[in-house]
Amino acid sequence: METNQISQAPAISPLVIKERTGSIDIAEVIGVLKGDITALHIRQAFTTEVAEEITANFNRNPGLKERRDGVPGQYVGASHYRKDAATYFEEAENARPFVDALFGNLVDPARGLFDALKREFHKQGIELRLARSDDGQANICRALSWSGGGAYALEPHDDVAQVLCAGNDYELPAVAHNTVAALNFYPSMPEQGGDLRLWSHKPTVNDRKSQGVETTGYPYSTAYLEAVPYRDLQLRAGDIGLIDGGFVHGVTRQSGNGNRRLLLNNFFGFARPDLVLWWT
């Protein structure tokens, strides 16, 4: 006789959130990777001038495309989400000149943080590099802009499921057994809303199965998260947000001045004790 499994209440995991203004502390970035810090919010990490130029380069970018993953908006770059490795890396190679065009001659925050991390890891005998295959390698970031409404600009989700289920033709699944760090740079933000909401819940495989999101991590229902505490990070242009992507997170509805939420996004994490991969 079969019995239906009853979903248990989501386990509560404490949030460790660090906030600072201006300078980037590489030790804190590594703290997120090692699971010691849940989220790092750096205000005014890059200048208004850089933020405005990246935004202008995005809006006129010849590689600008409409999203087709259920989230309204536009993007420049490539995403591994629900793609085999050959498709992803081919798209990443094709998108490379358009990603480069986001920055022109700027000293940009994405490459700056990557290079600083690479130097620090090198001292520790750890390699940091872009994920790759025979078909190419990942880009330093992708740019995403939202245009949708609803209760959330981006529904509650986790970033581990998609990495864990990426497939044997990727290097990425090994990272899912450690911390999948989700890193966002914000060149443009609305005056109100568009905040990063982080719930005190790090789902297991069984949790994902109970929600029917075992291969995507998207979306968790409002009812499932109803009793789970959360924190909102109020992000502004020029900020950086770095989180443990294993925790459920989403983006609140945006309103105010009509500015669209534009971010530069990537992921990184330990594939082995001596190797950190970076991808989009």
Side-chain angles (χ1 to χ4, degrees), residues 47-68:
T47 67
T48 300
E49 291 75 20
V50 168
E52 289 176 349
E53 186 159 348
I54 292 172
T55 301
N57 289 342
F58 175 83
N59 290 332
R60 59 174 173 251
N61 196 293
L64 195 64
K65 296 182 179 180
E66 294 293 325
R67 295 183 67 168
R68 295 286 184 264

Side-chain angles (χ1 to χ4, degrees), residues 208-226:
R208 295 188 197 101
K209 286 181 178 177
S210 77
Q211 286 286 288
V213 298
E214 59 266 38
T215 62
T216 62
Y218 176 91
Y220 288 88
S221 68
T222 303
Y224 179 75
L225 296 170
E226 187 174 14

Side-chain angles (χ1 to χ4, degrees), residues 8-15 38 156-162 164 176-178 180 198-221 224-225 228 243-249:
Q8 294 183 339
I12 305 301
S13 298
L15 301 176
T38 314
H157 64 284
D158 78 75
D159 296 323
V160 171
Q162 57 183 290
L164 187 63
H177 299 291
N178 300 302
V180 176
L198 191 62
W199 280 267
S200 296
H201 177 51
K202 195 168 188 177
T204 64
V205 171
N206 287 336
D207 291 330
R208 295 188 197 101
K209 286 181 178 177
S210 77
Q211 286 286 288
V213 298
E214 59 266 38
T215 62
T216 62
Y218 176 91
Y220 288 88
S221 68
Y224 179 75
L225 296 170
V228 180
I243 67 169
D244 178 341
F247 282 77
V248 176
H249 54 285

Side-chain angles (χ1 to χ4, degrees), residues 7 22 32 51 67 73 83 88-89 113 162 190 192 203 226-227 230 252:
S7 297
V32 176
R67 295 183 67 168
K83 294 184 185 131
Y88 166 61
F89 287 112
L113 184 50
Q162 57 183 290
Q192 298 175 4
E226 187 174 14
Y230 63 82
T252 64

Side-chain angles (χ1 to χ4, degrees), residues 101-157:
L102 292 168
F103 308 118
N105 295 320
L106 290 173
V107 178
D108 72 86
R111 288 180 292 201
L113 184 50
F114 179 90
D115 290 342
L117 265 177
K118 189 170 184 176
R119 288 191 297 271
E120 181 58 33
F121 278 133
H122 181 72
K123 296 175 189 175
Q124 303 177 28
I126 298 169
E127 180 185 10
L128 168 64
R129 64 167 170 80
L130 297 171
R132 65 194 182 204
S133 77
D134 292 340
D135 298 290
Q137 68 176 6
N139 297 313
I140 198 76
C141 68
R142 62 178 178 143
L144 302 168
S145 178
W146 270 264
S147 59
Y152 290 98
L154 181 60
E155 297 288 339
H157 64 284

Side-chain angles (χ1 to χ4, degrees), residues 77-79 85-99 131 135-139 280:
S79 168
T87 301
Y88 166 61
F89 287 112
E90 181 182 2
E91 289 184 2
E93 288 296 333
N94 291 338
R96 196 170 312 283
F98 304 119
V99 173
D135 298 290
Q137 68 176 6
N139 297 313
T280 58

